[in-house]
Amino acid sequence: MEPSVSAPSSSPLTRRPQWQALQEHAGPLGRRHLRELFAADPARGERLHAEAAGLYLDYSKQRVTGETLRLLLELAGACGLHERIAAMFRGDRINTTEDRPVLHVALRAPAGAHIDVDGRNVVPEVQAVLDRMAAFSERVRDGSWTGHTGKRVRNVISIGIGGSDLGPVMAYEALRHYSRREMTFRFVSNVDGTDFVEATRDLDPAETLFIICSKTFTTLETLTNAQAARAWCLQALGDERAIAKHFVAVSTNATEVQKFGIDTTRMFGFWDWVGGRYSMDSAIGLSTMLAIGADNFRAMLAGFHAMDEHFRSTPLQHNLPVLTGLLAIWNANFLGAATVAVLPYEHYLKRFPAYLQQLTMESNGKHISLDGARVDYATGPIYWGEPGTNGQHSFYQLIHQGTRLIPCDFIGFCRALNPMPDPHGGDQHDLLMANLIAQSEALAFGKTAAEVTAEGTPAALVPHRTFEGNRPSSTILAERLDPHTLGALVALYEHSVFVQGVIWNIDSFDQWGVELGKALAKRTAAEIASSNDPELSHDSSTNTLIRRYRRLREASA
Ligand code: F6P
């Protein structure tokens, strides 16, 4: 069925001459192959790149020309990108539907910086929380913070969900190489009890510290898991006073933290101008700091800040987040790509695609513009991915020979964190990176029917073994994965998401779309829990599912 809201025939964005110029340009360019673009401009691979904060971006294998970039930059100008970037850094209330500034950049500003929110410089508060986190982390890491029975803390479990989980998990996995190996770090997010049970089954409560992470401290999943943690702890330690040594909170909501039973002296705060999915570098990253230490955490913040400064001050045509954001617009709106594959060739980044899913899709999965009108263009594409080379033996077939256009972001590092000799005398890392480079080449240039035939392939198999190519990708290279590089990489995507939101004229910082499901789940939970057969007034499918669930649950009980 069609959605009941009808789209206006044309929005201001699609009526802009710059948008229409891009549409006209996309027709003929869409018919040009990357083989042709490289043949026409042999230096293309050296020219179409940008560099900042230790990251090198090669975008020469995107289906663009100098003219495409010129038109995209004109569109950015017409959409006021420059001014919107300045507004974000100034602390203007650019999250209009929640009436808030968007200042994750203040979380990584240097101590002497000055960023005002409502006339107050917030940088000293940010630094004060960082200092408290550092002091606490130091005590846990050196063993002077002990549990209730006097045992040192060996296990840290961070409980949170969404932005209060995905960033910390991703950062812990990404920076595991730098982590305190004799400590165990786990993350519990799902309200499915299995998550908590499996995370705790082999741990001693006397040696376990829980970090309850929730911006609002009202999130059902997190509070349910926090109660489970409390019960698990008390059952073993048998004394309410144990909570003081085994629980800390990270939140903006001191009242709810106290209600839960965590004293605010053991709470690390942040602010409503930090969006959940932009908070891994706030106190939400306490588990990261516990794992890698305060100095490494500050190095990560420096990486974020280096990219922030680049984004704030570099002309748009050389600006990495601007370029990646505009290329994403080009692929989504003018070449018709509905998804983006993120392919890190670094096993430590295995949770990076999952982290990016929230960052990109919760930010730009919107169909209402800042003016309150339904948009008539595609917005946020679907992000997904797996580390290479694993993905090559799974879904790459579809990227190479399927019917859909799937732009890819390849991410690789030049130095191995775990060098391993390979049987041919090289290093396994060289094999890994050879695969990354080969994949981007294969996607761009493919293999023609003539080349396949020349190899002696039977005629009937030629179409099957032909690769059309012309599949766009960008490659991000850095020297090695370390805290600074991770910060720069995350900031690159954060700002790229913002650039796309500016062009699409949407609020990238709200998330109203998650509310309806939450409200309905509350009502359904009450109906499922009710001891007598409740009167149900949903649609017939929902009513039947609730009844069947209750019946089968009771039958098996
Ligand atoms: O449900 C979505 C969401 O609101 C995310 O935006 C947020 O990161 C997550 O829930 C967790 O929220 P909180 O940190 O308040 O528990």
Side-chain angles (χ1 to χ4, degrees), residues 335-349:
L335 298 187
T339 88
V340 177
V342 182
L343 309 166
Y345 278 64
E346 168 53 73
H347 204 71
Y348 284 123
L349 285 181

Side-chain angles (χ1 to χ4, degrees), residues 234-256:
L234 289 181
Q235 194 190 17
L237 303 176
D239 186 343
E240 271 288 331
R241 284 174 304 175
I243 300 301
K245 300 307 294 269
H246 293 270
F247 282 76
V248 296
V250 179
S251 186
T252 59
N253 189 344
T255 312
E256 288 301 320

Side-chain angles (χ1 to χ4, degrees), residues 161-164 214-216 219 222 276-277 358 362 511 514 518:
I161 197 164
S164 297
S214 176
K215 180 176 170 181
T216 55
T219 303
T222 301
R277 52 194 176 273
Q358 189 202 13
E362 199 169 73
Q511 57 285 314
V514 298
K518 283 188 197 171

